[in-house]
Amino acid sequence: RMGAEVYRRQQGHQASFQGESGTTRASSSKKEDVMGSVVGLVLGTRAATAAVVFLVMWRMLDFSLFSYHPVCMTLGYALMMSEAVRAAIFFRGTAGEDRVRKITKHMGLNLLALALVTIGFIAIYKNKVRLGKEHYQSKHGKVGLAAFVSTFVVVAGGILSFKKLGIIEVVPENLHGLVKRVHRAGGMVAFLLALAAMQLGLLTGALNPVPAERVAQFAVAAIALSTLYFWYTWSDNGAYAKLDRDGKEQVTVVSHLVPRRN
């Protein structure tokens, strides 16, 4: 009887071990699938960005005053700010020096974007003056102006909220978390306004021939949709930011990304 009891226990331990091992393998497989989808979507978004940049530079860069407008706006928003927004989404689950490095990269990309779109704005403004045309008459011009002003506000908010710079200390400590949340939301609004302005610009027929326009429109839409997908659907595997009772941001960090709804 004792031998039978020992055998049953051994069988139970073995089954338990096999169950835990199977769960671990399933979890590891799920993690690999998730990371594979992240990498695939990021690469797809970068391919769309490359298509837009190539088409705009190929068809519109003739080194006239006007040409600097679409080229610099495309480089600033579709390339630099697109990377900056994704970087902001993905560094939320980091901490310490790694987080500081990634925020610094995010800030650098946004500053480059701001420099490029400022050149693009000056180019179109001077070109309108040269031709004696009114400013901000079209939907493209109005939405573009809103995006440009929003970009300045968002970059200023990012500099304010970057704790390493120390400027945020001028704001009451219980509002620090709120400042960061507003910066994140404002950044997404500015980016989507910029992409909307790009779509409206492509509808003017400036990018010929028509097939090139359609490819560029599709690519800009893909950039917008993929960014929204990351923004709304993904979180940092339990790594999240929240406000405590004093309004201070608290971050819980776990190692990898998973869909928010899983």
Side-chain angles (χ1 to χ4, degrees), residues 6-30:
V6 169
Y7 176 77
R8 281 195 298 271
R9 288 180 182 177
Q10 287 176 340
Q11 291 294 99
H13 287 315
Q14 184 176 358
S16 176
F17 175 77
Q18 288 174 344
E20 290 175 3
S21 177
T23 301
T24 301
R25 285 195 300 270
S27 176
S28 177
S29 175
K30 183 178 180 181

Short mmCIF file of all heavy atoms in Angstrom, two decimals, residues 6-30:
data_model
loop_
_atom_site.label_atom_id
_atom_site.label_comp_id
_atom_site.label_asym_id
_atom_site.label_seq_id
_atom_site.Cartn_x
_atom_site.Cartn_y
_atom_site.Cartn_z
N VAL A 6 3.21 6.09 -2.73
CA VAL A 6 4.39 6.80 -3.24
C VAL A 6 4.28 6.96 -4.76
O VAL A 6 4.57 8.03 -5.32
CB VAL A 6 5.68 6.05 -2.88
CG1 VAL A 6 6.88 6.63 -3.63
CG2 VAL A 6 5.93 6.11 -1.38
N TYR A 7 3.82 5.92 -5.43
CA TYR A 7 3.68 5.97 -6.89
C TYR A 7 2.69 7.05 -7.30
O TYR A 7 2.92 7.82 -8.23
CB TYR A 7 3.23 4.60 -7.41
CG TYR A 7 2.97 4.58 -8.88
CD1 TYR A 7 4.02 4.55 -9.81
CD2 TYR A 7 1.66 4.61 -9.37
CE1 TYR A 7 3.77 4.54 -11.17
CE2 TYR A 7 1.41 4.61 -10.73
CZ TYR A 7 2.47 4.56 -11.62
OH TYR A 7 2.22 4.55 -12.97
N ARG A 8 1.53 7.10 -6.57
CA ARG A 8 0.51 8.11 -6.89
C ARG A 8 1.05 9.53 -6.70
O ARG A 8 0.78 10.43 -7.48
CB ARG A 8 -0.74 7.89 -6.03
CG ARG A 8 -1.64 6.77 -6.54
CD ARG A 8 -3.01 6.84 -5.90
NE ARG A 8 -2.95 6.66 -4.44
CZ ARG A 8 -3.00 5.50 -3.83
NH1 ARG A 8 -3.10 4.38 -4.56
NH2 ARG A 8 -2.94 5.42 -2.53
N ARG A 9 1.83 9.72 -5.62
CA ARG A 9 2.41 11.04 -5.37
C ARG A 9 3.39 11.44 -6.48
O ARG A 9 3.41 12.58 -6.93
CB ARG A 9 3.12 11.06 -4.02
CG ARG A 9 2.16 11.03 -2.85
CD ARG A 9 2.94 11.05 -1.54
NE ARG A 9 2.03 10.99 -0.40
CZ ARG A 9 2.44 10.93 0.87
NH1 ARG A 9 3.75 10.91 1.15
NH2 ARG A 9 1.55 10.89 1.84
N GLN A 10 4.22 10.47 -6.87
CA GLN A 10 5.18 10.74 -7.94
C GLN A 10 4.45 11.13 -9.23
O GLN A 10 4.84 12.06 -9.93
CB GLN A 10 6.07 9.51 -8.19
CG GLN A 10 7.08 9.29 -7.08
CD GLN A 10 7.87 8.01 -7.29
OE1 GLN A 10 7.43 7.13 -8.04
NE2 GLN A 10 9.03 7.92 -6.65
N GLN A 11 3.37 10.41 -9.52
CA GLN A 11 2.60 10.71 -10.71
C GLN A 11 1.97 12.09 -10.63
O GLN A 11 1.91 12.84 -11.61
CB GLN A 11 1.49 9.65 -10.92
CG GLN A 11 2.02 8.28 -11.30
CD GLN A 11 2.68 8.30 -12.67
OE1 GLN A 11 3.91 8.38 -12.75
NE2 GLN A 11 1.88 8.27 -13.73
N GLY A 12 1.49 12.45 -9.42
CA GLY A 12 0.89 13.77 -9.23
C GLY A 12 1.90 14.88 -9.43
O GLY A 12 1.61 15.89 -10.08
N HIS A 13 3.12 14.71 -8.83
CA HIS A 13 4.17 15.72 -9.00
C HIS A 13 4.56 15.87 -10.46
O HIS A 13 4.79 16.97 -10.96
CB HIS A 13 5.40 15.33 -8.18
CG HIS A 13 5.21 15.53 -6.70
ND1 HIS A 13 4.64 16.67 -6.17
CD2 HIS A 13 5.51 14.72 -5.65
CE1 HIS A 13 4.60 16.56 -4.85
NE2 HIS A 13 5.12 15.40 -4.51
N GLN A 14 4.65 14.72 -11.16
CA GLN A 14 5.03 14.76 -12.57
C GLN A 14 3.98 15.50 -13.40
O GLN A 14 4.30 16.30 -14.27
CB GLN A 14 5.21 13.34 -13.10
CG GLN A 14 5.72 13.31 -14.55
CD GLN A 14 5.99 11.88 -15.02
OE1 GLN A 14 5.84 10.94 -14.26
NE2 GLN A 14 6.36 11.75 -16.26
N ALA A 15 2.70 15.22 -13.11
CA ALA A 15 1.62 15.89 -13.85
C ALA A 15 1.64 17.39 -13.58
O ALA A 15 1.44 18.21 -14.48
CB ALA A 15 0.26 15.30 -13.45
N SER A 16 1.88 17.74 -12.28
CA SER A 16 1.94 19.17 -11.92
C SER A 16 3.08 19.86 -12.64
O SER A 16 2.94 20.96 -13.18
CB SER A 16 2.12 19.31 -10.40
OG SER A 16 2.28 20.67 -10.05
N PHE A 17 4.26 19.20 -12.67
CA PHE A 17 5.43 19.77 -13.36
C PHE A 17 5.16 19.95 -14.85
O PHE A 17 5.47 20.98 -15.44
CB PHE A 17 6.64 18.85 -13.15
CG PHE A 17 7.85 19.30 -13.92
CD1 PHE A 17 8.63 20.36 -13.48
CD2 PHE A 17 8.19 18.66 -15.12
CE1 PHE A 17 9.74 20.77 -14.20
CE2 PHE A 17 9.30 19.07 -15.84
CZ PHE A 17 10.08 20.12 -15.38
N GLN A 18 4.52 18.94 -15.43
CA GLN A 18 4.22 19.02 -16.86
C GLN A 18 3.22 20.15 -17.14
O GLN A 18 3.32 20.85 -18.14
CB GLN A 18 3.66 17.69 -17.35
CG GLN A 18 4.71 16.59 -17.42
CD GLN A 18 4.11 15.25 -17.78
OE1 GLN A 18 2.88 15.06 -17.69
NE2 GLN A 18 4.94 14.30 -18.18
N GLY A 19 2.26 20.33 -16.21
CA GLY A 19 1.29 21.41 -16.38
C GLY A 19 1.95 22.77 -16.31
O GLY A 19 1.70 23.65 -17.13
N GLU A 20 2.85 22.95 -15.30
CA GLU A 20 3.56 24.22 -15.16
C GLU A 20 4.46 24.47 -16.37
O GLU A 20 4.56 25.59 -16.88
CB GLU A 20 4.39 24.22 -13.89
CG GLU A 20 3.54 24.27 -12.63
CD GLU A 20 4.38 24.14 -11.38
OE1 GLU A 20 5.63 24.07 -11.52
OE2 GLU A 20 3.82 24.11 -10.28
N SER A 21 5.13 23.40 -16.82
CA SER A 21 6.02 23.52 -17.97
C SER A 21 5.24 23.91 -19.22
O SER A 21 5.65 24.75 -20.01
CB SER A 21 6.76 22.20 -18.20
OG SER A 21 7.57 22.28 -19.34
N GLY A 22 4.06 23.30 -19.38
CA GLY A 22 3.22 23.63 -20.53
C GLY A 22 2.75 25.06 -20.49
O GLY A 22 2.72 25.76 -21.51
N THR A 23 2.38 25.53 -19.27
CA THR A 23 1.95 26.92 -19.11
C THR A 23 3.07 27.88 -19.45
O THR A 23 2.87 28.91 -20.11
CB THR A 23 1.47 27.17 -17.67
OG1 THR A 23 0.40 26.28 -17.37
CG2 THR A 23 1.00 28.62 -17.50
N THR A 24 4.29 27.56 -19.00
CA THR A 24 5.46 28.40 -19.27
C THR A 24 5.73 28.48 -20.76
O THR A 24 6.00 29.55 -21.31
CB THR A 24 6.71 27.85 -18.55
OG1 THR A 24 6.44 27.81 -17.15
CG2 THR A 24 7.92 28.74 -18.81
N ARG A 25 5.66 27.29 -21.43
CA ARG A 25 5.90 27.27 -22.87
C ARG A 25 4.84 28.08 -23.60
O ARG A 25 5.13 28.82 -24.55
CB ARG A 25 5.91 25.83 -23.39
CG ARG A 25 7.18 25.07 -23.04
CD ARG A 25 7.28 23.81 -23.90
NE ARG A 25 6.16 22.91 -23.69
CZ ARG A 25 6.14 21.94 -22.78
NH1 ARG A 25 7.19 21.78 -21.97
NH2 ARG A 25 5.09 21.16 -22.65
N ALA A 26 3.58 27.97 -23.17
CA ALA A 26 2.50 28.72 -23.80
C ALA A 26 2.69 30.21 -23.62
O ALA A 26 2.49 31.01 -24.54
CB ALA A 26 1.14 28.29 -23.22
N SER A 27 3.11 30.60 -22.38
CA SER A 27 3.35 32.02 -22.10
C SER A 27 4.49 32.56 -22.95
O SER A 27 4.41 33.65 -23.50
CB SER A 27 3.67 32.20 -20.62
OG SER A 27 3.99 33.53 -20.33
N SER A 28 5.56 31.74 -23.06
CA SER A 28 6.71 32.16 -23.87
C SER A 28 6.33 32.29 -25.33
O SER A 28 6.73 33.24 -26.02
CB SER A 28 7.84 31.14 -23.71
OG SER A 28 8.94 31.48 -24.52
N SER A 29 5.52 31.35 -25.82
CA SER A 29 5.09 31.38 -27.21
C SER A 29 4.21 32.60 -27.47
O SER A 29 4.33 33.27 -28.50
CB SER A 29 4.31 30.11 -27.54
OG SER A 29 3.79 30.16 -28.84
N LYS A 30 3.34 32.90 -26.50
CA LYS A 30 2.47 34.07 -26.64
C LYS A 30 3.29 35.35 -26.68
O LYS A 30 3.02 36.25 -27.48
CB LYS A 30 1.49 34.11 -25.47
CG LYS A 30 0.49 35.26 -25.56
CD LYS A 30 -0.46 35.20 -24.39
CE LYS A 30 -1.47 36.35 -24.46
NZ LYS A 30 -2.40 36.32 -23.32
#
